[in-house]
Amino acid sequence: MMKLLLPLFTISIVLVTSCHKDKEIKPGVGLNQGEEEEEEEEEECDTTLVYENIPKSVKPSVYLMTYPGSWWLYDDDSMDSCSSWNKYNLQAISYPTQCPMVKRTTATIPKTNYGYIYGNKRVYQFYSSNLMVNTYFSNHLVEPILDTTITSGVFYTKAYGMFNGFGAQHGVSVYKNYEVVERLKNMEVNGKNYKDVIHTKEYLTMHDGWSGQSMERTTHYYYACNVGIIRQTEYGPNSLHYDRLLVDHYIAPH
């Protein structure tokens, strides 16, 4: 069974409920007579916490079809599958002002062997042991692998910056780019014709500033309506890593 992309870890987000420093007055040593002491202060910064609970199960896109009991067999003998509905806490930090806003969404979503699916998207989880320094890492815990609302050629881009997290004592620069390449009326895979196919491309690059090593990866996905992923191709900087094609599949009743 092939596990795609990033592994799943438990999200650990440290919330700052208040960043406040009382006003301080410098001692009047060395001041000229009649000169007033100056005040220094920092603005109060409170975290805004927003809760959202979605009572009904969030169904996947018709281009993913990840209903529990469904499976997809590929020509390299790998199999993707959807095992169950899971209640999951999605968390994201944004900065509408200088102060952070944390949104927590509780939803029941499908769990697959390659990640959780939230509507049209796959859920990624990042873990950071120093999240307060690298809070931008939690901005995009939900990353798209498919978004039917994006037109062809429109990019989703995220530059994560430097990360000094779990298992790494040095900075790692991570950049990700996502594009809907084309929409196809028909596509033949393994002698079978599929209708209404969306082709997406995902580019990922990581650079380790301590060792100087870099990694690049470009992955192409082809999603057929009411089926799921019918083809997946991954390239390194100079070579093809793999190209797997759908052989058979089963979509569970829903």
Side-chain angles (χ1 to χ4, degrees):
M1 183 182 294
M2 180 172 295
K3 294 185 178 180
L4 306 181
L5 304 179
L6 301 176
L8 297 177
F9 298 95
T10 302
I11 299 177
S12 176
I13 291 186
V14 181
L15 301 180
V16 181
T17 56
S18 178
C19 300
H20 176 69
K21 185 176 181 181
D22 294 331
K23 297 180 181 180
E24 294 180 356
I25 300 178
K26 293 183 179 180
V29 177
L31 295 179
N32 295 327
Q33 186 175 2
E35 186 175 353
E36 294 183 357
E37 297 170 334
E38 295 182 355
E39 290 185 353
E40 284 190 357
E41 65 177 88
E42 290 185 5
E43 292 184 2
E44 183 176 341
C45 192
D46 292 328
T47 297
T48 301
L49 197 54
V50 179
Y51 292 91
E52 179 186 19
N53 180 58
I54 302 177
K56 294 184 179 180
S57 299
V58 180
K59 295 181 179 180
S61 163
V62 293
Y63 291 91
L64 289 171
M65 298 301 289
T66 50
Y67 290 94
S70 301
W71 52 263
W72 298 262
L73 178 65
Y74 297 91
D75 61 352
D76 61 354
D77 293 327
S78 65
M79 179 180 285
D80 287 341
S81 62
C82 180
S83 58
S84 60
W85 293 99
N86 280 52
K87 182 171 285 188
Y88 192 78
N89 294 320
L90 308 172
Q91 303 189 70
I93 297 178
S94 61
Y95 290 85
T97 63
Q98 291 184 347
C99 300
M101 181 176 74
V102 177
K103 183 177 181 181
R104 294 177 177 175
T105 302
T106 301
T108 300
I109 54 181
K111 179 183 179 182
T112 73
N113 63 296
Y114 57 90
Y116 291 86
I117 303 298
Y118 183 56
N120 290 334
K121 306 171 184 179
R122 173 184 171 185
V123 178
Y124 290 88
Q125 301 177 45
F126 293 101
Y127 175 82
S128 170
S129 61
N130 194 12
L131 203 59
M132 291 316 302
V133 177
N134 301 288
T135 50
Y136 42 73
F137 253 81
S138 60
N139 266 324
H140 291 277
L141 295 173
V142 180
E143 300 277 9
I145 55 170
L146 172 69
D147 192 334
T148 55
T149 64
I150 296 179
T151 58
S152 299
V154 176
F155 287 81
Y156 165 92
T157 303
K158 175 63 179 176
Y160 293 108
M162 300 302 292
F163 175 51
N164 188 30
F166 182 74
Q169 301 302 318
H170 44 275
V172 179
S173 176
V174 183
Y175 171 82
K176 189 173 184 180
N177 176 281
Y178 169 86
E179 176 189 2
V180 175
V181 179
E182 58 186 340
R183 297 171 185 267
L184 305 171
K185 292 184 177 179
N186 296 278
M187 181 177 177
E188 185 173 311
V189 174
N190 269 335
K192 184 175 180 178
N193 184 59
Y194 296 93
K195 296 182 179 181
D196 193 359
V197 176
I198 295 179
H199 171 201
T200 71
K201 181 176 69 175
E202 180 185 81
Y203 173 72
L204 175 71
T205 178
M206 293 190 292
H207 177 73
D208 189 323
W210 178 73
S211 66
Q213 295 181 340
S214 297
M215 184 199 80
E216 292 183 15
R217 182 180 67 204
T218 301
T219 307
H220 293 261
Y221 297 93
Y222 298 84
Y223 303 89
C225 187
N226 296 318
V227 177
I229 300 174
I230 59 175
R231 183 178 184 180
Q232 181 183 350
T233 307
E234 182 176 302
Y235 297 88
N238 301 307
S239 62
L240 173 68
H241 285 186
Y242 64 82
D243 184 10
R244 66 174 193 162
L245 309 175
L246 187 66
V247 173
D248 197 6
H249 72 284
Y250 169 75
I251 306 299
H254 53 277

